[in-house]
Amino acid sequence: MRRAVLAYLACPGCGSRLALSSVTGEDDGHVIEGELTCCGCARRFDVKRGVPLLAGADVDPLKTETAARFSEEWTRWTDLRGYYESQFLGWIAPIAREDFAGRVVFEGGCGKGRHTELVARFGAKDVVAVDLGESAFVAFQNTRHLPNAHVVQGDLTHPPVLPVFDLAFSVGVLHHMPNPEVGAKSVAGVVRDGGRLVVWVYGLENNEWITRFVDPVRHAITSKISYRALRTLSAIPAAVMWGAIKLFYRSGSRGEGLFRLPYRQYLSSMSEFPFDELELIVFDQLVTPVAHYLPRSEVERWFAGTGFKDVQLRWHNQMSWTATATVARSAPGGGARALAPDFETGAGGIRVAGSA
Ligand SMILES: C[S@@+](CC[C@H](N)C(=O)[O-])C[C@H]1O[C@@H](n2cnc3c(N)ncnc32)[C@H](O)[C@@H]1O
């Protein structure tokens, strides 16, 4: 934890600023062990292994369990890889790398910090990344060399930061929260008036079969079995995907012939991934106790009320939703949804923007 992060932190209980009350270990410009005290309610929080621990003691057990399951993932697949940049820019488009330059950025649910690191490199003034799990320690190790990257352990439902951010993003997180809408509102709540947010979530459209056939298995078995057993199990669908991608979905292949191949955009985008990234993708799908597949109408509803403007929804890879919006707290009646002009009618009559 660099001292500079104190400019952004807030007590998850009362929202007051936090002060550094003791330091028992320091290294390389970071407080490694110490204590923070709330300037309002005097509550104390530890800093351990370089990370401020700002989750309240009263976090819902289902959220803690979800974060703990993901910690298994991020403490095993720890490294940062070159293709994460194009994957991230695909998920968050139309937000682009220039949108981060000079901005104060919040990340909700950072996992191992793969996007924290990118955003810091894109020239953010500061990026403050929050995750509820032990993954926060991995994210700290992956970003500790970057002066503008800060990692905090906390619950996105009670984000331990002040509402001062120019841009907030959350990729692949809200659908793992018991109530994704509450998560979306929490992300929006940290953005200053006139700032922007972008969230990417699983879509229901084209994924109905997952809710029917995979969800029951996830609930009953795969979210409960050991890391080792799940990793072994994940290798089987990963091998099938690997074979299919190499045979039918290589980049450059149009994926069209006698049949229109399912998940063409999604699987083609993975044609250069190594095998263990496919294992990670399968593992990620199966490890969690909570995964919502969200219809367009629901994501649209999150940003439909007053408080948002310039709302855009984009159907990414024809299987997931990217929502961007500007926060307009002070505008009376602000938040009227203005769909982007490039929206068109997609499969199932859903009005969508073309995917990246
Ligand atoms: C699928 S991972 C995505 C991580 C990262 N955004 C990425 O794409 O690499 C979901 C992450 O959300 C975190 N998470 C889930 N619920 C959370 C909550 N209530 N507060 C903060 N983080 C949470 C998990 O611990 C996990 O690291």
Side-chain angles (χ1 to χ4, degrees):
M1 182 198 101
R2 294 183 193 278
R3 284 174 169 78
V5 76
L6 291 172
Y8 306 109
L9 297 187
C11 173
C14 74
S16 304
R17 283 182 180 275
L18 300 177
L20 189 59
S21 39
S22 80
V23 177
T24 48
E26 262 189 284
D27 182 39
D28 205 16
H30 288 282
V31 175
I32 301 295
E33 304 284 329
E35 190 183 65
L36 297 164
T37 302
C38 173
C39 301
C41 65
R43 198 163 146 192
R44 288 159 189 266
F45 301 92
D46 288 333
V47 179
K48 284 205 185 305
R49 291 155 58 196
V51 177
L53 309 183
L54 302 181
D58 49 350
V59 177
D60 172 350
L62 184 56
K63 285 193 234 159
T64 310
E65 186 192 340
T66 302
R69 290 296 283 173
F70 277 115
S71 299
E72 294 280 1
E73 179 174 327
W74 300 126
T75 52
R76 261 86 181 183
W77 277 274
T78 53
D79 57 322
L80 306 185
R81 300 175 176 190
Y83 47 80
Y84 288 159
E85 178 170 336
S86 59
Q87 189 185 39
F88 176 57
L89 291 172
W91 278 325
I92 64 168
I95 300 289
R97 54 188 300 157
E98 312 78 77
D99 293 307
F100 294 96
R103 300 283 200 277
V104 178
V105 180
F106 173 84
E107 177 178 8
C110 63
K112 63 176 167 177
R114 57 181 175 167
H115 303 146
T116 324
E117 190 260 354
L118 285 170
V119 166
R121 285 204 287 107
F122 292 166
K125 178 168 183 270
D126 281 304
V127 50
V128 180
V130 172
D131 200 285
L132 185 55
E134 298 263 316
S135 343
F137 298 112
V138 181
F140 171 67
Q141 290 302 335
N142 275 333
T143 57
R144 60 179 294 169
H145 58 290
L146 295 163
N148 53 347
H150 311 278
V151 178
V152 174
Q153 195 181 60
D155 176 11
L156 194 49
T157 313
H158 302 283
V161 295
L162 297 164
V164 294
F165 291 85
D166 300 314
L167 177 58
F169 71 96
S170 185
V171 166
V173 177
L174 303 184
H175 47 237
H176 296 307
M177 295 180 71
N179 185 335
E181 180 173 7
V182 170
K185 295 282 153 65
S186 295
V187 173
V190 309
V191 177
R192 66 165 171 81
D193 189 28
R196 298 171 82 192
L197 65 89
V198 55
V199 301
W200 175 81
V201 292
Y202 294 161
L204 176 64
E205 296 82 357
N206 273 350
N207 288 327
E208 292 86 352
W209 68 275
I210 297 181
T211 60
R212 180 177 295 193
F213 299 112
V214 180
D215 264 353
V217 178
R218 186 197 342 257
H219 283 301
I221 303 170
T222 61
S223 64
K224 296 182 169 60
I225 61 178
S226 72
Y227 157 78
R228 191 184 292 270
L230 183 54
R231 179 140 194 195
T232 306
L233 189 68
S234 301
I236 300 164
V240 174
M241 274 168 73
W242 172 262
I245 289 170
K246 295 296 169 205
L247 282 172
F248 306 114
Y249 293 88
R250 279 182 182 283
S251 41
S253 139
R254 296 178 61 223
E256 285 161 8
L258 284 179
F259 307 103
R260 191 175 161 82
L261 292 170
Y263 292 118
R264 184 170 55 85
Q265 291 174 350
Y266 175 58
L267 291 173
S268 301
S269 74
M270 297 195 282
S271 62
E272 306 306 326
F273 287 4
F275 180 70
D276 75 333
E277 191 69 35
L278 299 184
E279 278 185 293
L280 164 71
I281 289 166
V282 175
F283 186 98
D284 183 276
Q285 285 280 325
L286 298 177
V287 74
T288 175
V290 181
H292 299 277
Y293 288 79
L294 299 155
R296 175 199 163 99
S297 57
E298 179 166 344
V299 181
E300 203 172 43
R301 188 167 48 77
W302 297 346
F303 304 108
T306 52
F308 299 105
K309 62 180 187 179
D310 309 327
V311 179
Q312 290 187 38
L313 227 62
R314 184 174 59 80
W315 200 29
H316 182 60
N317 281 342
Q318 302 194 334
M319 58 180 295
S320 58
W321 293 105
T322 298
T324 50
T326 299
V327 170
R329 275 195 206 97
S330 55
R337 214 166 44 80
L339 292 174
D342 61 341
F343 275 57
E344 61 189 37
T345 302
I350 299 164
R351 296 186 67 222
V352 294
S355 57

